[in-house]
Each structure stands twice: as C-alpha cells, then as structure tokens.
Amino acid sequence: MLLLVVEDQPGDLRIANEAGQSSGFTRVEAKSTVGSARVYLEKGLEDGQPLPDAIVLDLDLGYESGFELLRLWHGNPRLFQIPLVVWTILGDEQREICRLFKVNAYVSKQDGIVVLREALSGLGRAAS
C-alpha cells in the first residue's frame, strides 16, 4: 500500500513516515510542496502511474497552502476516492472546512503520532 505524505517539515515527515509504515503502508512517497504533489497526482491520473492508497496532507506548508491540494482532491472524482487525512497545526476553523470537504480524518499535530497512526490504521483496514 502506498501513502502520499505532503509535508514540508523534515521532523514531521519522519513522524508521518513512521506512522504510515506502522499502519500497514509498505511505501511512503513524500512531497514537500503543493506543486510537486499536484504533478505526482496528475501523472497518476494521466499516465496510469499508481495513485496512492491514502494521502496525509499538512495545510500549512510554509509559503504555500495545502488547501490548494485539498481543492484538487475534492474536485476530481478519482482523487476524491483516495482517503485523505489532514495533519496540521491549524485549528477549529480549518477543521470545519475539512469536514465540509469530507476529509476522512483531521488530526492535530499536537495530538502526536499515536492519533495519526490510529487515523491511518483505519484507512489501511478500509482499503484492504
């Protein structure tokens, strides 16, 4: 199973990678920008490259906003079938927006790796 992690902080990327692997994902593809994640997903849509089985998305990517990628995911029926976990430091307003976008799980980074792992484990069971 393939997990796409969109995260710009190396420490958080290590945590997401560890959570993904311990949740049954055999491969983690990391992208640090919205643009690189968009290209990766568009290649999967156009060229038949494998699409991820799940996505972990940080909404606060330095100078970029993960909401741009969230809109792409929500607006494309093939991408929208891929379970998406938002993992971010942002608060209640963003949680509500994610609920409206029908994100599978919203995990605060302050909750730590255990909660992220639980969210990913649930996705792994659903995809199996």
Side-chain angles (χ1 to χ4, degrees), residues 27-51:
R27 189 167 146 233
V28 176
E29 181 73 31
K31 300 297 178 190
S32 61
T33 67
V34 169
S36 62
R38 175 186 287 276
V39 167
Y40 178 80
L41 291 171
E42 287 173 349
K43 279 186 179 183
L45 291 170
E46 295 168 6
D47 299 338
Q49 300 290 328
L51 287 169

CSV table of all heavy atoms in Angstrom, one decimal, residues 27-51:
chain,number,residue,atom,x,y,z
A,27,ARG,N,4.9,1.5,1.4
A,27,ARG,CA,5.7,2.6,0.7
A,27,ARG,C,5.2,3.9,1.0
A,27,ARG,O,3.9,4.1,1.0
A,27,ARG,CB,5.7,2.3,-0.8
A,27,ARG,CG,6.6,3.2,-1.5
A,27,ARG,CD,6.8,2.8,-3.0
A,27,ARG,NE,7.0,4.0,-3.8
A,27,ARG,CZ,6.3,4.3,-4.8
A,27,ARG,NH1,5.4,3.5,-5.3
A,27,ARG,NH2,6.6,5.4,-5.5
A,28,VAL,N,6.0,4.9,1.3
A,28,VAL,CA,5.6,6.3,1.6
A,28,VAL,C,6.3,7.2,0.5
A,28,VAL,O,7.5,7.1,0.4
A,28,VAL,CB,6.0,6.7,3.0
A,28,VAL,CG1,5.7,8.2,3.2
A,28,VAL,CG2,5.3,5.9,4.0
A,29,GLU,N,5.5,7.9,-0.2
A,29,GLU,CA,6.0,8.9,-1.2
A,29,GLU,C,5.9,10.3,-0.5
A,29,GLU,O,4.8,10.6,-0.2
A,29,GLU,CB,5.2,8.8,-2.5
A,29,GLU,CG,5.7,9.7,-3.5
A,29,GLU,CD,7.0,9.3,-4.2
A,29,GLU,OE1,7.2,8.1,-4.3
A,29,GLU,OE2,7.7,10.2,-4.6
A,30,ALA,N,7.0,11.0,-0.4
A,30,ALA,CA,6.9,12.3,0.3
A,30,ALA,C,7.1,13.4,-0.7
A,30,ALA,O,7.9,13.4,-1.6
A,30,ALA,CB,8.1,12.4,1.3
A,31,LYS,N,6.3,14.4,-0.6
A,31,LYS,CA,6.3,15.7,-1.4
A,31,LYS,C,6.3,16.8,-0.4
A,31,LYS,O,5.5,16.9,0.5
A,31,LYS,CB,5.2,15.7,-2.4
A,31,LYS,CG,5.1,14.6,-3.3
A,31,LYS,CD,6.3,14.5,-4.2
A,31,LYS,CE,6.2,13.3,-5.2
A,31,LYS,NZ,7.4,13.1,-5.9
A,32,SER,N,7.2,17.8,-0.7
A,32,SER,CA,7.3,18.9,0.3
A,32,SER,C,6.6,20.2,-0.2
A,32,SER,O,6.5,21.2,0.5
A,32,SER,CB,8.8,19.3,0.6
A,32,SER,OG,9.4,19.6,-0.6
A,33,THR,N,6.0,20.2,-1.4
A,33,THR,CA,5.3,21.3,-1.9
A,33,THR,C,4.0,20.9,-2.6
A,33,THR,O,3.9,19.7,-3.0
A,33,THR,CB,6.1,22.1,-3.0
A,33,THR,OG1,6.3,21.2,-4.2
A,33,THR,CG2,7.5,22.5,-2.5
A,34,VAL,N,3.1,21.8,-2.7
A,34,VAL,CA,1.8,21.6,-3.3
A,34,VAL,C,2.1,21.3,-4.8
A,34,VAL,O,1.5,20.3,-5.4
A,34,VAL,CB,0.9,22.8,-3.2
A,34,VAL,CG1,-0.3,22.7,-4.1
A,34,VAL,CG2,0.5,23.0,-1.7
A,35,GLY,N,3.0,22.0,-5.4
A,35,GLY,CA,3.3,21.8,-6.8
A,35,GLY,C,3.8,20.4,-7.1
A,35,GLY,O,3.3,19.7,-8.1
A,36,SER,N,4.7,19.9,-6.3
A,36,SER,CA,5.2,18.6,-6.6
A,36,SER,C,4.2,17.5,-6.3
A,36,SER,O,4.1,16.5,-7.0
A,36,SER,CB,6.5,18.3,-5.7
A,36,SER,OG,6.2,18.4,-4.4
A,37,ALA,N,3.3,17.7,-5.3
A,37,ALA,CA,2.3,16.7,-5.0
A,37,ALA,C,1.2,16.8,-6.2
A,37,ALA,O,0.7,15.7,-6.6
A,37,ALA,CB,1.6,17.1,-3.7
A,38,ARG,N,0.9,17.9,-6.7
A,38,ARG,CA,0.0,18.1,-7.8
A,38,ARG,C,0.5,17.3,-9.0
A,38,ARG,O,-0.2,16.5,-9.7
A,38,ARG,CB,-0.2,19.5,-8.1
A,38,ARG,CG,-1.1,19.7,-9.4
A,38,ARG,CD,-1.2,21.2,-9.7
A,38,ARG,NE,-2.1,22.0,-8.8
A,38,ARG,CZ,-3.4,22.0,-8.9
A,38,ARG,NH1,-4.0,21.4,-9.8
A,38,ARG,NH2,-4.0,22.8,-8.0
A,39,VAL,N,1.8,17.5,-9.4
A,39,VAL,CA,2.4,16.8,-10.5
A,39,VAL,C,2.3,15.3,-10.3
A,39,VAL,O,2.0,14.6,-11.2
A,39,VAL,CB,3.9,17.3,-10.7
A,39,VAL,CG1,4.6,16.4,-11.7
A,39,VAL,CG2,3.9,18.8,-11.2
A,40,TYR,N,2.7,14.9,-9.1
A,40,TYR,CA,2.6,13.5,-8.8
A,40,TYR,C,1.2,12.9,-9.0
A,40,TYR,O,1.1,11.8,-9.7
A,40,TYR,CB,3.1,13.2,-7.4
A,40,TYR,CG,3.1,11.8,-6.9
A,40,TYR,CD1,4.1,10.9,-7.3
A,40,TYR,CD2,2.0,11.3,-6.2
A,40,TYR,CE1,4.0,9.6,-6.8
A,40,TYR,CE2,2.0,10.0,-5.7
A,40,TYR,CZ,3.0,9.2,-6.1
A,40,TYR,OH,2.9,7.9,-5.7
A,41,LEU,N,0.2,13.5,-8.5
A,41,LEU,CA,-1.1,13.1,-8.7
A,41,LEU,C,-1.6,13.1,-10.1
A,41,LEU,O,-2.3,12.2,-10.6
A,41,LEU,CB,-2.1,13.8,-7.7
A,41,LEU,CG,-1.9,13.6,-6.3
A,41,LEU,CD1,-2.7,14.5,-5.4
A,41,LEU,CD2,-2.2,12.1,-5.9
A,42,GLU,N,-1.3,14.2,-10.8
A,42,GLU,CA,-1.7,14.4,-12.2
A,42,GLU,C,-1.1,13.3,-13.1
A,42,GLU,O,-1.7,12.8,-14.0
A,42,GLU,CB,-1.4,15.8,-12.7
A,42,GLU,CG,-2.3,16.8,-12.1
A,42,GLU,CD,-2.0,18.2,-12.4
A,42,GLU,OE1,-0.9,18.5,-13.0
A,42,GLU,OE2,-2.8,19.1,-12.2
A,43,LYS,N,0.2,12.9,-12.8
A,43,LYS,CA,0.8,11.8,-13.6
A,43,LYS,C,0.0,10.5,-13.4
A,43,LYS,O,-0.1,9.8,-14.3
A,43,LYS,CB,2.3,11.6,-13.1
A,43,LYS,CG,3.2,12.6,-13.8
A,43,LYS,CD,4.6,12.3,-13.4
A,43,LYS,CE,5.6,13.2,-14.1
A,43,LYS,NZ,7.0,12.9,-13.9
A,44,GLY,N,-0.4,10.3,-12.1
A,44,GLY,CA,-1.2,9.1,-11.9
A,44,GLY,C,-2.5,9.1,-12.6
A,44,GLY,O,-3.0,8.1,-13.1
A,45,LEU,N,-3.1,10.3,-12.7
A,45,LEU,CA,-4.4,10.4,-13.4
A,45,LEU,C,-4.2,10.3,-14.9
A,45,LEU,O,-5.0,9.6,-15.6
A,45,LEU,CB,-5.0,11.7,-13.1
A,45,LEU,CG,-5.5,11.9,-11.7
A,45,LEU,CD1,-5.9,13.3,-11.4
A,45,LEU,CD2,-6.7,11.0,-11.4
A,46,GLU,N,-3.2,10.9,-15.5
A,46,GLU,CA,-3.0,10.9,-16.9
A,46,GLU,C,-2.2,9.7,-17.5
A,46,GLU,O,-2.5,9.2,-18.5
A,46,GLU,CB,-2.3,12.2,-17.3
A,46,GLU,CG,-3.1,13.4,-17.0
A,46,GLU,CD,-2.2,14.7,-17.1
A,46,GLU,OE1,-1.1,14.7,-17.5
A,46,GLU,OE2,-2.8,15.8,-16.7
A,47,ASP,N,-1.1,9.3,-16.8
A,47,ASP,CA,-0.2,8.4,-17.4
A,47,ASP,C,-0.4,7.0,-16.8
A,47,ASP,O,0.4,6.1,-17.1
A,47,ASP,CB,1.3,8.8,-17.1
A,47,ASP,CG,1.6,10.2,-17.8
A,47,ASP,OD1,0.8,10.5,-18.7
A,47,ASP,OD2,2.5,10.8,-17.3
A,48,GLY,N,-1.3,6.8,-15.9
A,48,GLY,CA,-1.5,5.5,-15.3
A,48,GLY,C,-0.5,5.1,-14.3
A,48,GLY,O,-0.4,4.0,-13.9
A,49,GLN,N,0.3,6.1,-13.8
A,49,GLN,CA,1.2,5.8,-12.7
A,49,GLN,C,0.3,5.5,-11.5
A,49,GLN,O,-0.8,5.9,-11.4
A,49,GLN,CB,2.0,7.1,-12.4
A,49,GLN,CG,2.9,7.6,-13.5
A,49,GLN,CD,4.1,6.6,-13.7
A,49,GLN,OE1,4.6,6.0,-12.8
A,49,GLN,NE2,4.5,6.6,-15.0
A,50,PRO,N,0.8,4.7,-10.6
A,50,PRO,CA,0.0,4.3,-9.4
A,50,PRO,C,-0.4,5.5,-8.6
A,50,PRO,O,0.4,6.4,-8.3
A,50,PRO,CB,0.9,3.4,-8.6
A,50,PRO,CG,2.2,3.2,-9.3
A,50,PRO,CD,2.2,4.1,-10.5
A,51,LEU,N,-1.7,5.6,-8.3
A,51,LEU,CA,-2.2,6.6,-7.3
A,51,LEU,C,-2.0,6.1,-5.9
A,51,LEU,O,-2.0,4.9,-5.7
A,51,LEU,CB,-3.6,6.9,-7.6
A,51,LEU,CG,-3.9,7.7,-8.9
A,51,LEU,CD1,-5.4,7.7,-9.2
A,51,LEU,CD2,-3.4,9.2,-8.7
